[in-house]
Amino acid sequence: MSPEDAEVIELAQALIRRPSRAGIDDYGPVLTVLEGWLGDRDLPCRHLYDDQGRPVALLVEVAGGRPGPWWALDACVDTAPYGGEGAWSFPPDCGDVVDGWLRGRGAADSKLAAAMFCRIAAELHARAEELHGGLAVLLDVDEHTGGFGGARAYLNDPAAVRPAGVMIGYPGPDEVVIGGRGLWRATIAVHADSGHSGSRRTTLGAVSRAARLVCLLDEAQLPGVQGEFPLPPKLTVTFCHGGEGFSVVPDRCELGVDIRTTPGFDASAAEGLVRGAVARLDAALPGPGPTVITPVTAWPPYRLAEDEQPAAALLESAANEGLTVRAKTAGPSNIGNLLAAEGIPATAGFGVHHEGLHGTDERARLADLPAVHAVYRRAVLNLLSVGATSHDGAARDR
């Protein structure tokens, strides 16, 4: 292990030992660790805030001495919750290394990547004058909430240079994620007449009407794989809330619907499918009022070509390091979808082997770190060694 990789591991350990569970912990301690590490190396950084003035990210900016596009590395330093701590075989915030594995919540997703990106920024800061464009490192503390506040604040910051592309440090060494399905999400309020469950009058409650709607949605015919996009759309009913007790026929039940979209079945098609199912419900089992659909969010699907930056630089760098890595379009959506909606190409995954991601006994395999670190370093140097108008193909590493 090189001194540089040892430095990455030491910073990652310090980050894991500052719990930063989304919506649970104060992010101050984990941000303080990062600020201290960056400050010791004279790296410029600043907080980004959401509309309520809450810190959602730390942004590191390394400006090159020559004109060119800016590129960004993105890793989250907030984490999933621990779940049942009694199920863990080690403390979730231990941050220790055992048998070559870095252990603890965030080891895989994505504090090790955050530490690695900080180390790359430190190296580039020392040689900034020879680089074209610039590098931003976004250290996000509002990723696991699903709000992606750090990425949004970065894109909305008038002082930040808009990146030509982003590489997101999600883990996994065998694939570079170059795309993902989009999503359309909505809540559906189903209504009925209320009553007493023991009444002589038969009343079809809102939960029963909602159950019929769930069947209609589950039976809906979605298209298969179309064109070059390798995944089909998918519909899932994700929650059902209604009722207050055994003796009351409920007058309202709310469903949550998540539809993963594709270029051939977009948000408009998803909404049309749900509205069609709701119309059939209201026609077959009329309620006291229409069923109400409230769209919540929609992101487009995206997929980069393998010769499009920054995917090309990352794939070529992996090949140059002797790694066999394939390009992948992911089923789950991610920050790459948000960036795609803004016209910014992104890769959303390449990193070390991992276990227990979002589950118990999360850990990351450190034997992979030297190669992964070298791949990202080479890719960034390639991107920053080209002129402002060259966005295709990776340039020579200096």
Side-chain angles (χ1 to χ4, degrees):
M1 195 73 66
S2 70
E4 293 79 13
D5 290 324
E7 191 176 357
V8 169
I9 295 167
E10 183 179 2
L11 175 57
Q13 289 180 290
L15 296 175
I16 293 167
R17 290 165 182 161
R18 273 69 172 184
S20 52
R21 294 165 291 177
I24 298 174
D25 296 312
D26 176 13
Y27 301 133
V30 74
L31 291 174
T32 297
V33 169
L34 289 165
E35 289 177 279
W37 192 95
L38 295 166
D40 289 344
R41 290 153 183 82
D42 296 322
L43 272 165
C45 67
R46 55 193 175 89
H47 285 98
L48 299 180
Y49 300 90
D50 64 11
D51 293 339
Q52 285 72 49
R54 296 171 297 197
V56 289
L58 198 64
L59 181 64
V60 184
E61 295 167 302
V62 179
R66 304 176 187 181
W70 278 62
W71 304 89
L73 298 171
D74 177 13
C76 59
V77 290
D78 68 334
T79 72
Y82 296 155
E85 293 188 44
W88 288 64
S89 64
F90 50 82
D93 60 352
C94 65
D96 60 8
V97 175
V98 175
D99 295 330
W101 291 81
L102 175 64
R103 308 193 306 175
R105 177 62 84 222
D109 186 16
S110 294
K111 291 181 176 181
L112 184 62
M116 179 179 65
F117 290 166
C118 286
R119 185 65 189 78
I120 291 172
E123 178 183 346
L124 266 61
H125 182 57
R127 56 188 296 189
E129 287 303 315
E130 68 185 79
L131 302 176
H132 292 261
L135 175 71
V137 176
L138 182 67
L139 304 165
D140 197 336
V141 290
D142 190 38
E143 195 267 5
H144 283 84
T145 62
F148 297 163
R152 294 179 190 277
Y154 172 43
L155 297 178
N156 292 332
D157 186 349
V161 180
R162 196 171 185 84
V166 178
M167 290 179 280
I168 305 166
Y170 295 138
D174 301 321
E175 300 155 341
V176 171
V177 176
I178 62 169
R181 285 188 293 203
L183 59 81
W184 180 85
R185 289 173 176 164
T187 61
I188 305 175
V190 180
H191 301 281
D193 292 320
S194 62
H196 194 291
S197 61
S199 172
R200 291 185 178 184
R201 182 172 66 92
T202 300
T203 303
L204 187 66
V207 171
S208 296
R209 294 191 72 234
R212 187 68 62 90
L213 179 57
V214 171
C215 291
L216 290 172
L217 292 170
D218 285 344
E219 293 165 0
Q221 295 297 309
L222 277 71
V225 173
Q226 297 175 305
E228 295 183 357
F229 198 84
L231 297 173
K234 180 182 180 182
L235 184 154
T236 307
V237 178
T238 55
F239 64 77
C240 180
H241 301 152
E244 298 179 5
F246 286 104
S247 63
V248 178
V249 177
D251 62 358
R252 188 177 189 278
C253 185
E254 185 176 80
L255 301 177
V257 178
D258 178 296
I259 300 181
R260 299 305 166 118
T261 59
T262 67
F265 189 84
D266 61 10
S268 177
E271 183 169 355
L273 181 149
V274 171
R275 291 196 180 279
V278 164
R280 291 193 294 276
L281 172 75
D282 286 348
L285 299 173
T291 300
V292 177
I293 301 168
T294 304
V296 174
T297 190
W299 292 345
Y302 80 102
R303 186 168 185 262
L304 307 186
E306 293 185 27
D307 61 354
E308 184 178 356
Q309 298 292 22
L314 202 53
L315 289 165
E316 181 174 331
S317 296
N320 288 337
E321 291 296 327
L323 302 179
T324 301
V325 176
R326 68 183 182 93
K328 176 186 177 182
T329 300
S333 303
N334 53 65
I335 292 179
N337 297 86
L338 172 65
L339 295 167
E342 298 284 335
I344 299 173
T347 60
F350 172 70
V352 302
H353 280 93
H354 60 90
E355 295 180 355
L357 187 74
H358 289 195
T360 58
D361 289 355
E362 181 177 347
R363 60 181 190 162
R365 193 170 77 179
L366 296 177
D368 302 325
L369 177 61
V372 171
H373 190 176
V375 167
Y376 274 106
R377 175 187 174 277
R378 179 188 290 270
V380 170
L381 284 171
N382 285 344
L383 291 167
L384 294 176
S385 295
V386 297
T389 59
S390 178
H391 283 221
D392 56 331
R396 184 178 66 253
D397 188 355
R398 296 192 171 198

